[in-house]
Amino acid sequence: MNLLRTARLQTGPHSPGTEIPEPAATGRPRGDRGQTAIEFVGTLPLILITLAIMWQAALVGYTYMLAGNAADKAARAAAVANVSQRVACEQAVHEDVPSAWDTTVEKCGSRFSELVRVRVKIDVPLLFPGAFNLPMRATGEAKAKNETGGWLW
């Protein structure tokens, strides 16, 4: 297929005696029709996979943020609790963390120590909370001064 046709000889001060290529009659080659659509279809899976990885990274970060915040709230609730510190910890965690996340309160301090120590673990969801979880857990730890007067003087 002849994409370029040679035109007449151009005579003038800038290029005497040279031939100028002339575009084909339609102005564009015929063999590239639909090329943009094919390239888009080819790169679409790569774009979607990249978006899913970015979403998952944001979800992991958000889960760690939830774990830390839940541990802070649980430590505060246990520090001022007049009843069982364990019950106060678990109640504060379940009020703070959305129900789609699986939570575990591993440690909630003792009544007769100066500090209340809390450790909360939350399962990291895969793409959407409530469906499947990754085999990793976000851990949040917090301490608060025990304000229940549990010291034995």
Side-chain angles (χ1 to χ4, degrees):
M1 178 174 177
N2 187 8
L3 297 178
L4 299 174
R5 286 186 277 163
T6 56
R8 62 197 172 282
L9 289 177
Q10 182 181 10
T11 56
H14 299 294
S15 55
T18 59
E19 295 181 0
I20 300 174
E22 203 173 277
T26 61
R28 66 173 187 199
R30 296 177 191 235
D32 68 347
R33 191 173 280 181
Q35 178 179 353
T36 304
I38 295 299
E39 287 176 358
F40 177 71
V41 168
T43 58
L44 185 63
L46 183 62
I47 293 169
L48 292 176
I49 289 171
T50 303
L51 286 175
I53 290 171
M54 289 172 46
W55 173 257
Q56 185 62 44
L59 195 58
V60 168
Y62 181 61
T63 305
Y64 272 95
M65 186 180 69
L66 279 176
N69 192 43
D72 287 340
K73 293 216 176 182
R76 178 68 184 148
V80 297
N82 290 327
V83 292
S84 170
Q85 287 183 333
R86 183 74 179 183
V87 171
C89 280
E90 291 192 10
Q91 188 175 22
V93 167
H94 291 298
E95 285 176 3
D96 190 51
V97 178
S99 61
W101 272 265
D102 297 330
T103 61
T104 305
V105 178
E106 276 194 351
K107 182 179 185 181
C108 190
S110 71
R111 180 163 299 282
F112 298 108
S113 67
E114 183 179 351
L115 291 176
V116 176
R117 291 181 173 93
V118 177
R119 182 180 300 136
V120 176
K121 290 199 173 188
I122 302 178
D123 292 336
V124 177
L126 177 67
L127 294 180
F128 299 103
F132 300 104
N133 294 326
L134 290 175
M136 65 183 289
R137 303 185 86 187
T139 303
E141 295 183 4
K143 297 175 188 172
K145 184 176 181 330
N146 195 351
E147 298 178 13
T148 59
W151 278 96
L152 295 176
W153 297 97

